[in-house]
Amino acid sequence: MPKIVLTDVTKRWGNFYGVDHLDLVIDDCSFVTLLGPSGCGKTTTLRMIAGLETPTSGRIEIGDQVVFDSEKGINVPANKRHVGFLFQNYALWPNMTVYQNIAFGLKNLKKYNKQEIDEIVKRVARVVKIEPFMDRYPAELSGGQQQRVAIARTLAPEPQVIFMDEPLSNLDAKLRLEMRAELQRLHLTTGRTFVYVTHDQMEAMTLASKICLIENGVLQQYDPPLTVYGRPNNLFVADFVGSPSINFIEAAGAQNAESGDMLLTVFDGKPASFRFTKAVSMGAWREEEKRAADAVAQAKAERAKDKKNVEKGNVDKVFDYQIMRVEDDGSVKREPTENDYVIGVRPEMIEIAEEGGLEAEVYSAMPTGMETTVRVRVGNFLLTGVVFGGVTYEIGSKVHVKFKKEGIMLFSRISGKLIGTGGLDV
Amino acid sequence: MQKTLSPSVGKGTIFWNKVKTFFSKPQNAILVILGLVCTFTTFAPIIAIIEDTIVIHPGTIDAVLTKKSSGYSFINYVNLFTSNIAKIHLWTPLLNTVILAVGSCAVSILYGGLFAFLVTRTNLKFKKYLSAIFIFPYIMPQWTLATVWKNLFDSIAVTHTRDGVLAGLFGINMPEWWCAGMFPSILVLGLHYAPFAYILIGGIFRNMDANLEEAATILNTPKWKIMTRVTLPLIKPAILSTILLVFGSSMGSYPVPHFLGLTTLSTKYIELNSQRTGQASILAVIMMLLGVAIMYVNQRSLKSRKSYTTVTGKSGQISKINLGKAGKVIIAVILVLLTFFTSIFPIISFAFETFLPNPGDYSFLRTFDFNNLTAKWWITSENVTENGMYGQKGILFNEMIWKGFGGTVLVSVACALCAGVLGTLIGYAVSKKRRSRLAGYVNAVAFLPYLMPSIAVGIAFFKLFSGTINLYNTYWLLIIVGTVKYIPFASRSSLNSMLQLSGEIEEAAIIQDTPWYKRMLRIIIPIQKSSIVSGFLLPFMTCLRELSLFMLLCGQGLILSTQLDYFDEMGLYAFSSGINLILIVTILVCNALVNKITGASLDKGIGG
């Protein structure tokens, strides 16, 4: 059964690294989404696995077959990898009818006779509900129908793995939701491995059994969606996933040696304390982080010895998070020290309650009926919260804000990495 | 790099694996094979001709001067550049060639560009008719207009040949500069290539985003300023490509200056070839250098402008300039008259010439007495020594002409097939490997013959295949040369269209393990049908009427265009006009047929 293993896969053009030493294991029957902003290398990764793009170096296995190995000079062409690929623009052949489009690939398999092909085509057409259009040409179909034909064509040869490259991005919002649900059903009914590329974090969250978040060619996090959401590895992941976006609060302070709480100052001088849900010793954490950073640096130095190595032109940077302010006060982020932190607060972690310790003013409120997105102002800072139910707030009214006792994230400002989660008291 | 190589995997295996992977992609195999072939077909003739400039030819001037009968010497260069013949054999023809090329560029760009502007940007009348008829001069053989010019203006008094229509009918003798030499040559070549300018510039005018001009209008820019500051810079790439095409082609044109009595490098080459073979080859080398130079200049000027070579917009509402109620009709009528003379009149004129009892006998036009016309040039099948037939049977029964016609069709079809297939493959492979150096090289090398003057290419192949492998006067040679020369037509049109085709279309088939030939035949070719057909059509049409390229490679009987030249030399104008007519009708019929069947037409796909 096919399990896809990528080992140290790199793709670069000149000194631009599209994919930078990526290690990834995709389990059989899983639904993995490759997520990231545009140009981060997710499509390149997918195309390399499918064989449409040749990696610069590394090793790719599908099942027990090595399909690419730069050191052994192995490169199995795409047509021999027996995978399915669903293209962003569908890539339907405009000169063939829907039926011919689906049947075309089957004829190459040679193992089917005409009648069997006919049966398969009809079966997959039924799955995606396009039976009435079999004699039409792609140009005579709507976007959603073309999409279904493309899916049918991909499913017809029964590939073990199906790759999808932003398959829903050309559809309108309503259709996208519909197709999303259908894809999920499809994954369940076909039992194939799905690898799915998207830049839409909602799509990734809702569909995937595991999200692989990539930025600047580097793997940021590879975990189930809720872990990615609740325990993001770093500031970038925290910011990229979630809508409305996470709130970042800059903080400075140190760990209380006895209680293990972090005693911090936030919002230009307000005292606060952060209690880890699972105790973290800052000293140990720093050591651990240093060891990891050293290992990375050492690997890099090792690679630099190789003559063929090319310095990465698109340099990796610590994510430049944005602090929401009412007015830009022109303050420049100062160089972070060891005692600088960033607190990440998901909108639903903010509660508006009488007993809240933080005084705030409602800046804007946007009720949708199911929930209300409310933005409050604390001094010059803005916080976004989500309150469930049809609550309305008067803009400008004074409220009190408090934070939940768990699920709040604490990041190091130097490296942008997650230290732990816990509760915040202001 | 990790050192995980297991000992069983040797370096050789790795290399072999890599080679296998490389060639498992058909585009790589195509590039390597065609790269080698094109390198040979492009550079071998060039080297042959350069060698010819320094080799000593027995019985020619270099043998006399060096008193040797073999070996190498630079005497040809010395003699050609420094002796007292330098002026008439080198400098005058060179100057004439440059003036002719520059003049033709100017005429074609002004006429074609103005026409393109009128058709695309104004509310001119009869656009459809004008647009179709304007292409005719390019479809017709190059010398058509030259012979029409002669038929009109020649006179015994001035050009000492025979009386043309004007002289014979009205007794009007035009001055010599008007009848022959530089002026008519420039005009004729300019008119011949004006369709290039029309197609290229018109294409940009059509696709240009009208918003660009509208934005300037909103800012209250005067119309003339919009023209000079916005519109003209935008069409500059088209003008540059036109210059590239026209300059190269007109420089190497043989028939036009030959018919109109102008001495250029190409006519000089023919003149010198037998007595001063090595020196003639130097002239050919100079022509090639000029061709390469113009390409270089063109690429330099295009490079910095690349950013707007493909200006296309969505705004379909191009604001049309109002020519006024009378203006749109009057200008249209003027253009109808002009195009009548360049496009329709030649056909009538040729037809008429074939019915004259004797060359220059226009008495019919004075008397309208049908006894003053004759069909003997067409239908005489016996008594060829009487009736003033000069020993030739009438065109309809003349075996030589029909054999030539068959030869022309054979060569054209073969060239079209070879050039079309190879060009399509090159276009395909280059578009697949856009970024690779190999692809860039193959593309450039395949395109190079197009920029070299036809006559120089012909000369080069003549040198290459007249030695140990003697193919002179065979259809093989013509087909090889035609293919090499016309591959660019096909590779350009296929490359341009392949670049429009999303790679995913083919990848979708690769993923399903569709073999390459099937991908080409079932997917790519059907989708790009029309431009691939143009890639076959252009070589075919151009080949039908090619003279400059083939004239040195065969005797006069092999194909129609060389026969035409022969009959013209002999003064049998009825025959040359008849052949002209046959060629024009063949081309028009083919163009119309292909257009009907496939929707492709000659005016698509022109344009380097």
Side-chain angles (χ1 to χ4, degrees):
Chain A
M1 271 290 139
K3 168 175 160 184
I4 301 167
V5 182
L6 279 73
T7 317
D8 205 25
V9 171
T10 295
K11 173 73 183 179
R12 61 174 176 80
W13 292 272
N15 70 351
F16 180 87
Y17 278 71
V19 174
D20 187 3
H21 300 281
L22 179 70
D23 294 308
L24 192 66
V25 177
I26 296 169
D27 290 320
D28 184 33
C29 296
S30 59
F31 194 138
V32 170
T33 52
L34 303 178
L35 176 67
S38 14
C40 73
K42 53 194 188 304
T43 299
T44 310
T45 307
L46 190 73
R47 290 173 58 88
M48 285 192 299
I49 306 174
L52 298 172
E53 198 92 56
T54 309
T56 312
S57 67
R59 176 187 166 95
I60 300 173
E61 290 157 69
I62 298 180
D64 42 15
Q65 189 193 14
V66 177
V67 292
F68 180 85
D69 190 325
S70 58
E71 289 185 7
K72 291 185 187 161
I74 297 172
N75 188 2
V76 178
N79 46 339
K80 302 288 175 224
R81 295 192 187 185
H82 303 295
V83 294
F85 202 109
L86 191 57
F87 293 92
Q88 184 175 4
N89 300 318
Y90 318 142
L92 295 177
W93 300 306
N95 54 321
M96 299 183 199
T97 61
V98 168
Y99 184 93
Q100 290 166 333
N101 258 291
I102 301 172
F104 187 71
L106 293 172
K107 289 181 189 154
N108 302 320
L109 293 178
K110 289 187 186 89
K111 63 177 176 189
Y112 301 117
N113 61 32
K114 229 175 166 182
Q115 206 182 343
E116 285 169 315
I117 288 177
D118 195 55
E119 273 164 22
I120 296 173
V121 173
K122 290 208 171 115
R123 183 168 53 74
V124 292
R126 209 171 313 125
V127 172
V128 294
K129 308 187 191 87
I130 46 162
E131 296 139 299
F133 315 121
M134 297 309 267
D135 292 326
R136 292 210 201 164
Y137 284 93
E140 298 161 351
L141 299 174
S142 74
Q145 289 160 348
Q146 289 185 18
Q147 169 71 294
R148 285 158 200 270
V149 176
I151 293 175
R153 185 179 69 181
T154 312
L155 290 180
E158 302 196 337
Q160 292 301 308
V161 196
I162 296 175
F163 298 117
M164 289 178 261
D165 184 6
E166 310 211 12
L168 305 184
S169 63
N170 285 351
L171 302 178
D172 63 66
K174 191 157 177 273
L175 205 51
R176 205 178 301 168
L177 272 179
E178 242 171 70
M179 289 305 296
R180 206 194 280 172
E182 282 184 31
L183 281 180
Q184 198 169 37
R185 294 293 313 162
L186 208 60
H187 175 238
L188 220 65
T189 48
T190 55
R192 311 282 172 212
T193 307
F194 279 29
V195 185
Y196 185 105
V197 160
T198 179
H199 63 263
D200 181 343
Q201 50 103 5
M202 283 297 282
E203 244 170 66
M205 290 294 294
T206 48
L207 285 174
S209 55
K210 241 177 163 185
I211 291 180
C212 170
L213 193 66
I214 303 175
E215 155 67 354
N216 200 24
V218 180
L219 177 66
Q220 305 288 328
Q221 189 159 3
Y222 182 47
D223 276 314
L226 293 179
T227 313
V228 172
Y229 186 81
R231 281 191 66 89
N233 272 352
N234 55 40
L235 288 168
F236 170 79
V237 178
D239 185 64
F240 193 83
V241 176
S243 169
S245 287
I246 194 168
N247 298 289
F248 287 127
I249 304 167
E250 282 178 341
Q255 191 166 31
N256 184 314
E258 276 174 38
S259 65
D261 288 357
M262 301 294 294
L263 300 178
L264 307 163
T265 47
V266 294
F267 298 133
D268 291 337
K270 289 196 177 62
S273 75
F274 180 91
R275 166 162 295 176
F276 290 110
T277 311
K278 221 171 102 190
V280 174
S281 151
M282 280 316 292
W285 186 83
R286 282 196 189 108
E287 248 170 59
E288 181 60 36
E289 194 201 10
K290 190 168 177 301
R291 211 173 303 135
D294 283 349
V296 171
Q298 202 185 347
K300 208 171 161 186
E302 197 72 31
R303 284 203 288 269
K305 282 183 200 155
D306 192 329
K307 275 189 208 124
K308 284 188 205 140
N309 185 63
V310 177
E311 193 70 32
K312 188 171 179 176
N314 43 330
V315 185
D316 297 314
K317 293 193 190 98
V318 174
F319 178 67
D320 185 18
Y321 59 90
Q322 294 298 313
I323 302 287
M324 294 285 289
R325 287 190 173 89
V326 181
E327 275 162 38
D328 192 0
D329 53 6
S331 63
V332 185
K333 279 182 197 162
R334 61 191 168 80
E335 273 303 301
T337 68
E338 216 176 46
N339 291 326
D340 278 317
Y341 302 96
V342 178
I343 299 169
V345 184
R346 292 272 178 216
E348 66 274 16
M349 305 288 170
I350 292 176
E351 283 179 71
I352 295 181
E354 281 304 310
E355 71 276 15
L358 199 58
E359 279 186 19
E361 184 188 315
V362 176
Y363 189 73
S364 70
M366 288 166 278
T368 62
M370 186 169 72
E371 79 223 346
T372 301
T373 304
V374 58
R375 191 165 275 185
V376 297
R377 167 180 184 167
V378 179
N380 193 28
F381 297 93
L382 287 176
L383 293 174
T384 308
V386 172
V387 180
F388 290 94
V391 196
T392 53
Y393 294 95
E394 195 180 329
I395 293 177
S397 62
K398 301 272 183 245
V399 291
H400 290 269
V401 170
K402 68 170 190 170
F403 301 102
K404 288 224 168 114
K405 293 291 174 209
E406 56 184 16
I408 311 253
M409 306 148 199
L410 186 71
F411 299 93
S412 148
R413 236 185 102 181
I414 298 181
S415 65
K417 291 219 169 78
L418 179 74
I419 300 169
T421 61
L424 182 68
D425 263 324
V426 182
Chain B
M1 283 286 129
Q2 291 159 299
K3 297 276 176 264
T4 50
L5 284 183
S6 50
S8 62
V9 183
K11 270 198 171 153
T13 327
I14 296 172
F15 178 75
W16 183 236
N17 271 343
K18 282 190 173 159
V19 170
K20 262 206 306 216
T21 311
F22 183 78
F23 282 104
S24 70
K25 288 191 181 149
Q27 59 262 37
N28 289 330
I30 292 171
L31 283 178
V32 169
I33 294 168
L34 288 184
L36 290 174
V37 171
C38 288
T39 304
F40 178 76
T41 55
T42 304
F43 290 113
I46 296 179
I47 292 167
I49 196 167
I50 290 175
E51 191 214 357
D52 198 59
T53 61
I54 50 172
V55 89
I56 288 170
H57 307 75
T60 69
I61 185 83
D62 42 37
V64 175
L65 288 173
T66 54
K67 300 189 177 60
K68 284 192 277 188
S69 60
S70 66
Y72 292 93
S73 151
F74 282 102
I75 191 75
N76 282 321
Y77 284 92
V78 176
N79 190 256
L80 184 66
F81 279 90
T82 59
S83 74
N84 52 2
I85 55 153
K87 189 161 183 296
I88 59 160
H89 281 177
L90 176 67
W91 301 118
T92 311
L94 179 61
L95 185 66
N96 280 344
T97 304
V98 173
I99 295 175
L100 176 67
V102 171
S104 313
C105 283
V107 170
S108 61
I109 287 169
L110 284 179
Y111 184 51
L114 187 67
F115 185 79
F117 177 77
L118 286 171
V119 166
T120 54
R121 305 314 284 279
T122 68
N123 58 348
L124 193 74
K125 285 269 173 193
F126 316 128
K127 274 183 197 171
K128 241 187 172 159
Y129 166 79
L130 283 172
S131 176
I133 206 84
F134 193 80
I135 313 287
F136 269 41
Y138 181 71
I139 296 180
M140 294 191 288
Q142 219 177 43
W143 60 81
T144 311
L145 286 172
T147 38
V148 167
W149 194 272
K150 277 166 63 111
N151 287 347
L152 275 177
F153 299 116
D154 267 11
S155 60
I156 295 171
V158 180
T159 57
H160 316 294
T161 44
R162 53 153 190 168
D163 275 345
V165 175
L166 277 186
L169 214 53
F170 309 109
I172 303 172
N173 292 338
M174 296 302 281
E176 196 174 351
W177 63 268
W178 177 276
C179 298
M182 186 63 84
F183 175 74
S185 299
I186 287 180
L187 210 57
V188 162
L189 277 175
L191 288 176
H192 178 72
Y193 290 118
F196 268 169
Y198 164 57
I199 289 161
L200 291 175
I201 298 173
I204 291 200
F205 269 139
R206 245 179 227 125
N207 292 332
M208 194 160 67
D209 196 343
N211 291 346
L212 295 170
E213 282 173 325
E214 281 157 10
T217 314
I218 297 278
L219 293 170
N220 202 16
T221 323
K223 274 244 147 88
W224 62 268
K225 214 170 179 181
I226 297 180
M227 195 67 195
T228 51
R229 299 297 296 277
V230 179
T231 316
L232 280 182
L234 284 172
I235 59 169
K236 196 172 165 187
I239 292 181
L240 287 173
S241 338
T242 315
I243 291 178
L244 179 70
L245 294 173
V246 177
F247 197 95
S249 314
S250 54
M251 191 172 61
S253 162
Y254 171 75
V256 171
H258 171 68
F259 279 115
L260 292 170
L262 179 73
T263 310
T264 64
L265 288 177
S266 43
T267 60
K268 200 47 146 183
Y269 176 86
I270 305 295
E271 188 190 321
L272 293 186
N273 196 20
S274 57
Q275 289 304 309
R276 297 167 178 267
T277 316
Q279 297 183 6
S281 295
I282 298 176
L283 296 185
V285 171
I286 293 173
M287 278 194 272
M288 286 185 173
L289 288 178
L290 281 175
V292 172
I294 191 77
M295 171 173 79
Y296 179 71
V297 169
N298 201 284
Q299 265 185 347
R300 279 289 299 272
S301 55
L302 268 182
K303 222 157 222 165
S304 54
R305 313 261 177 263
K306 264 270 158 68
S307 49
Y308 55 74
T309 46
T310 48
V311 215
T312 51
K314 316 169 199 148
S315 169
Q317 301 153 315
I318 299 171
S319 52
K320 299 245 162 97
I321 293 167
N322 195 348
L323 294 173
K325 236 178 196 165
K328 64 181 178 185
V329 178
I330 291 172
I331 295 179
V333 168
I334 294 174
L335 284 173
V336 167
L337 286 176
L338 268 177
T339 49
F340 173 80
F341 275 101
T342 57
S343 308
I344 310 243
F345 180 74
I347 302 175
I348 299 172
S349 160
F350 288 133
F352 184 61
E353 288 278 325
T354 60
F355 293 105
L356 296 183
N358 286 301
D361 182 356
Y362 293 102
S363 44
F364 171 76
L365 290 179
R366 269 193 304 263
T367 60
F368 288 98
D369 179 354
F370 280 94
N371 289 331
N372 286 333
L373 292 182
T374 171
K376 67 174 181 179
W377 304 107
W378 288 98
I379 54 171
T380 304
S381 58
E382 49 201 2
N383 295 332
V384 291
T385 47
E386 295 164 28
N387 299 331
M389 290 299 289
Y390 306 93
Q392 295 285 347
K393 283 186 183 172
I395 297 170
L396 292 179
F397 300 100
N398 194 316
E399 291 88 5
M400 182 170 109
I401 291 180
W402 289 109
K403 189 174 160 269
F405 181 73
T408 295
V409 171
L410 170 76
V411 170
S412 305
V413 168
C415 282
L417 286 178
C418 297
V421 168
L422 294 179
T424 305
L425 288 178
I426 290 177
Y428 165 80
V430 169
S431 77
K432 281 272 144 193
K433 305 271 298 176
R434 225 165 306 171
R435 283 197 211 94
S436 93
R437 248 184 236 155
L438 179 63
Y441 170 77
V442 172
N443 195 23
V445 152
F447 193 61
L448 203 58
Y450 187 70
L451 294 168
M452 289 194 281
S454 301
I455 189 137
V457 175
I459 295 162
F461 272 90
F462 169 71
K463 298 291 178 204
L464 189 65
F465 286 114
S466 58
T468 39
I469 317 167
N470 197 344
L471 291 177
Y472 179 77
N473 205 18
T474 59
Y475 288 123
W476 288 111
L477 182 55
L478 300 192
I479 292 168
I480 292 171
V481 176
T483 303
V484 169
K485 177 79 180 165
Y486 298 134
I487 280 178
F489 280 134
S491 72
R492 275 291 135 138
S493 80
S494 99
L495 178 60
N496 284 342
S497 60
M498 298 279 181
L499 287 177
Q500 312 284 317
L501 192 68
S502 147
E504 293 181 353
I505 286 279
E506 195 187 350
E507 284 165 359
I510 295 178
I511 281 284
Q512 299 196 332
D513 200 8
T514 314
W516 179 73
Y517 73 92
K518 220 168 166 185
R519 299 201 296 266
M520 289 303 279
L521 292 179
R522 295 288 309 277
I523 296 173
I524 292 176
I525 293 175
I527 293 175
Q528 299 295 358
K529 191 178 63 183
S530 110
S531 56
I532 286 174
V533 169
S534 318
F536 282 81
L537 196 58
L538 274 168
F540 177 71
M541 302 278 183
T542 317
C543 204
L544 271 182
R545 57 168 177 67
E546 184 65 66
L547 175 63
S548 311
L549 187 62
F550 294 150
M551 57 184 296
L552 292 165
L553 303 175
C554 59
Q556 17 100 349
L558 216 53
I559 51 171
L560 274 192
S561 52
T562 50
Q563 279 183 23
L564 182 142
D565 191 42
Y566 164 76
F567 284 122
D568 204 78
E569 297 275 293
M570 299 279 289
L572 291 171
Y573 300 116
F575 281 117
S576 59
S577 295
I579 292 175
N580 248 331
L581 199 63
I582 293 173
L583 284 176
I584 294 174
V585 169
T586 311
I587 293 172
L588 290 181
V589 167
C590 289
N591 194 32
L593 266 181
V594 174
N595 197 346
K596 255 266 139 41
I597 296 168
T598 65
S601 81
L602 198 57
D603 49 302
K604 284 177 199 163
I606 295 184

